[in-house]
Amino acid sequence: MITEMFLNKFKIPRTRPGTLAGAYALLCLLLPTVVLFNARAVVPIAIVVALAVLLICWRKGQLGDLQRMDKPLVVLTCGYFAATLIASLNAGIESDAIVSTGKLAGIIVLAAILIPAQTSLSHSDRQWVFLTLIVSVSLATFWILFDVWSTAKLSWLIHGYDTRDPATVARLKMYGYFWYKSALAMLVLLALILGIYLQKHGSVLIAFFFVAVTALAGLEIGSRTAGFGILLALAIGSTYHLFGSYRRKLAIALLLLSFLTPLWVPSIGIKPSDVSAELNDKYGYANSIVYRLHIWDFVTGKIYEKPLLGWGAGASKRLGTEDQGILSDPNFGPLGEAIPIHPHNGILQIWLEFGALGALFAFSCVSRFLIIMDRRLNTPGSRIWGFSAAGLLACFFGFNFSISSSWWLTSVVFCIAIAALFSTCNEKSAEP
């Protein structure tokens, strides 16, 4: 039924895609599939495509499209970048700071090319991009499900992961199919972004089908943030829409409350050991929860040592390493480093590395972005799917990924560009 509906509803456009559409289609074809094998490969691919987009815009005299960025957001983004520089200079320049700052500058440039350049695409061009993306998401999701249901036969051939090996079995029991978690993060996000386009063309059932399949894949590999997060995200997007004219104010108020987490959470007085006493250490998810609570407790203490400007870019990799001791819980025992690569919470990482000044600009950037989203996604359906994707991003930044992870930030820029592309696609077309 789903297949027949899809084939009848979405036919290949009669006109060929332009060169610019081809660049975005190539990005949609490669990123969801390449991330299955090497998440870091996302960055060079996006850079090459962005340079191609820049060249195409220059040759077509469309460089003016790149100036369509919201000016207040550009100013606030520059302010955030300046805050990262000030924090790093104040803490003393470290190699990690140089690398992290360089990554952030590159991501900003990438966003300044890929997000506004898509505005000049025609409706037919956007159809091509959609068809390419839906094919790549389908292939990547099928690959993961087939691999899991065949007990990692594909992973054994490509990565050498042997599910008969005791060490691999132990890691699988604790972390699930950890080598697919990066890919699933992108796939569940893209499933919601596909929903923006699909609901515009009366294909909500297909949109929910992709949500269900990617959620299933997330649960099958042991990624609770992906599997349950996408369902929670849909609830967030729907709730946001239901608040009507108050939704912007409420969203910004909740965002402010989130950014003030290091200031009000310690006053509650709940300790990680209080939570661990209620959990069973036999379950992997319980270990993850307790470990994160201890990480956040440690990070909050470090934030209070340098609250204004923070410890500088890349400080997460220097603080809380193994030589400073291993976190331990009275109920769960030894857990690991105080900060394993990054704090596993984006807001706490911003406070830790860039202090209150960085947090202020980050909050302002995100607030402005939410306002732009609300204006751009001006139909109930597109608003629900778009803000569901935003809610899922919040889940990932809140529990999984680092604010300085270049592959993840590149993926976010890619997803925002495609979401913007789909949001302006005509709802009524003679041949969708």
Side-chain angles (χ1 to χ4, degrees), residues 91-109:
I93 293 295
E94 300 276 353
S95 58
D96 288 337
I98 296 173
V99 172
S100 296
T101 305
K103 286 180 180 179
L104 179 60
I107 296 298
I108 291 173
V109 172

Side-chain angles (χ1 to χ4, degrees), residues 81 83 270 329 422:
F81 184 70
I270 299 177
D329 183 84
F422 288 164

Side-chain angles (χ1 to χ4, degrees), residues 5 9 197-205:
M5 184 185 301
K9 192 70 178 177
Y197 184 101
L198 289 165
Q199 62 81 30
K200 280 177 174 286
H201 294 83
S203 301
V204 178
L205 283 179

Side-chain angles (χ1 to χ4, degrees), residues 239-240 243 246-256:
T239 303
Y240 177 82
F243 274 98
Y246 296 99
R247 56 180 173 263
R248 287 189 199 174
K249 294 179 180 178
L250 180 62
I252 292 174
L254 291 174
L255 185 66
L256 178 60

